[in-house]
Amino acid sequence: MGEQNYTPPLGTGDTQDYDRAIRIWTRERRWRSALLQATAPVAGETIIDFGCGTGTFAVMLKTAQPDVRVIGIDPDEEALTIARAKAEQAGVDVEWRRGFASDLAGDSADAAVSSLVFHQMPVVEKARAFAALLQVLRPRGRLLVADYGRQRGLMRLLFRATIQRLDGVADTQPNADGILPDLISEAGFVDVREIDRVHTVTGTIMLLEAKRPA
């Protein structure tokens, strides 16, 4: 995320309630399962979960394929505390780091994933994060993003009534206008495509896939 600019969980920093809200309001099982299938972790790979939050998806990755190295990075220490507890309960080993995308410099990964993070970041920070993730990926490395995308009709109204009330308009509106695929391409990724779309009572969550050029 941005070096300073990011919106805390639920727009308020109420991390304890974050998992419950995501589960109830976003059809979490549906889009997380789709994201896991699209990531398709392979034994021996290194996968970065950018903005890992409370660690749900990082733990899913490690549980699905124990022989991958999973690095979960997030600036919120309270969220990481919950993430560590989840990993311990699941009996899996995930590398948790407190930091931003720029703090990954020097790492190398086969895939980077991110879920429900980019809509909370200013446009300039979204762009910087995609550029940083491009640099950390190996040639043909995969980028998978699950986040709020272009909102149309009823979905736009629901998005305004929920996500934008919690997280504000300035950072979330570019997502609602469909900016993410363009930002990913501008960062240098290729083969950018939408692979799924999940309608929820908080708006449409879009799954995007892209690759670092060979």
Side-chain angles (χ1 to χ4, degrees), residues 9-204:
L10 298 182
T12 63
D14 195 354
T15 309
Q16 292 292 338
D17 287 336
Y18 179 77
D19 282 349
R20 182 167 59 253
I22 294 298
R23 184 171 58 252
I24 294 172
W25 298 110
T26 74
R27 299 178 65 194
E28 179 185 29
R29 183 177 297 180
R30 166 73 172 79
W31 63 262
R32 284 205 194 275
S33 295
L35 183 60
L36 180 62
Q37 183 177 5
T39 305
V42 176
E45 288 188 326
T46 295
I47 301 177
I48 291 169
D49 186 353
F50 166 65
C52 64
T54 60
T56 298
F57 192 70
V59 172
M60 283 181 67
L61 277 171
K62 189 67 175 179
T63 301
Q65 176 49 267
D67 295 323
V68 297
R69 178 190 179 200
V70 178
I71 300 171
I73 186 166
D74 196 278
D76 191 308
E77 184 58 43
E78 185 180 358
L80 289 174
T81 297
I82 296 172
R84 293 185 186 99
K86 285 183 183 178
E88 183 177 356
Q89 184 176 18
V92 297
D93 183 19
V94 175
E95 296 180 36
W96 305 109
R97 300 184 190 175
R98 185 177 184 183
F100 301 89
S102 60
D103 295 313
L104 293 166
D107 285 290
S108 181
D110 301 283
V113 300
S114 179
S115 50
L116 302 190
V117 173
F118 281 96
H119 73 280
Q120 298 179 320
M121 300 164 61
V123 170
V124 65
E125 302 297 349
K126 299 182 208 282
R128 288 173 179 167
F130 283 129
L133 292 175
L134 179 79
Q135 293 305 310
V136 79
L137 286 173
R138 296 168 184 144
R140 302 304 292 173
R142 314 185 301 283
L143 173 70
L144 290 307
V145 177
D147 213 319
Y148 291 98
R150 186 180 296 279
Q151 306 295 319
R152 296 182 173 91
L154 175 62
M155 291 297 107
R156 182 175 285 272
L157 294 176
L158 291 172
F159 186 73
R160 287 174 181 165
T162 56
I163 299 303
Q164 291 192 317
R165 285 188 63 187
L166 288 169
D167 295 336
V169 174
D171 297 342
T172 60
Q173 190 61 44
N175 278 56
D177 293 337
I179 198 174
L180 287 187
D182 290 339
L183 286 180
I184 293 171
S185 295
E186 290 166 7
F189 286 94
V190 297
D191 301 335
V192 181
R193 66 189 186 101
E194 180 181 319
I195 57 176
D196 203 352
R197 187 178 296 178
V198 181
H199 300 306
T200 81
V201 295
T202 59
T204 299

